[in-house]
Amino acid sequence: MADSTDCVFCRIVRGEAPALVVAETRLSLALLDLQPLAAGHCLVISRRHEAWWHDLTAEETTDLFGLARRVARRIKRAYRPDFVATYARGRRIPHVHLFLVPSFAGDPVDRHFNALEGWQEGAGTLAALAEPARRAEVAARLAAIDDD
Ligand SMILES: [Zn+2]
């Protein structure tokens, strides 16, 4: 989909909705999040309407993550977080957006990621996935698929 009339990020890209842009390229835009989880929390979006980053072209993906790196390093210098948590979204607003959230040890973002690492729901299924034979099967399956 080239763009979407009602998509808030497409409206920002077209200049029809306000945004605090901190950096931009031909293919991507970095802006402050409207509801920041921490000072410096930014979003990096593709200019083209697509829900998920892996459905962008290789050039768009390289550009998106290149801009994310630049902005994450600015956030590091400005706010001195331990790291800049990064995750890609596309479900609630179906337009590629990378979260760049300054994170400090023990803060809600850090606890969230730690909780994911200690995820116990479906523990039996997860334990089965961790079995060496199962891991080898999954690795072989992914390795055998040609890139498209
Ligand atoms: Zn859009």
Side-chain angles (χ1 to χ4, degrees), residues 7 10 49 95:
C7 171
C10 284
H49 184 85
H95 185 133

Side-chain angles (χ1 to χ4, degrees), residues 8 15 25-26 33 35-36 90 97 113 117 120 130 135 142 146:
V8 64
T25 65
R26 186 173 60 85
D33 195 287
Q35 296 174 307
H97 50 301
F113 279 92
E117 288 170 7
Q120 291 302 306
R135 292 180 64 240
L142 292 176
D146 292 329

Side-chain angles (χ1 to χ4, degrees), residues 7-61:
C7 171
V8 64
F9 292 148
C10 284
R11 294 183 63 230
I12 287 171
V13 167
R14 290 193 302 262
E16 297 170 5
L20 295 173
V21 174
V22 300
E24 62 185 302
T25 65
R26 186 173 60 85
L27 300 174
S28 312
L29 213 56
L31 47 125
L32 279 194
D33 195 287
L34 267 178
Q35 296 174 307
L37 298 171
H41 174 181
C42 288
L43 301 177
V44 183
I45 68 174
S46 57
R47 288 190 185 270
R48 187 168 64 84
H49 184 85
E50 192 68 70
W52 297 106
W53 71 268
H54 41 76
D55 293 325
L56 295 173
T57 67
E59 182 187 16
E60 288 169 328
T61 306

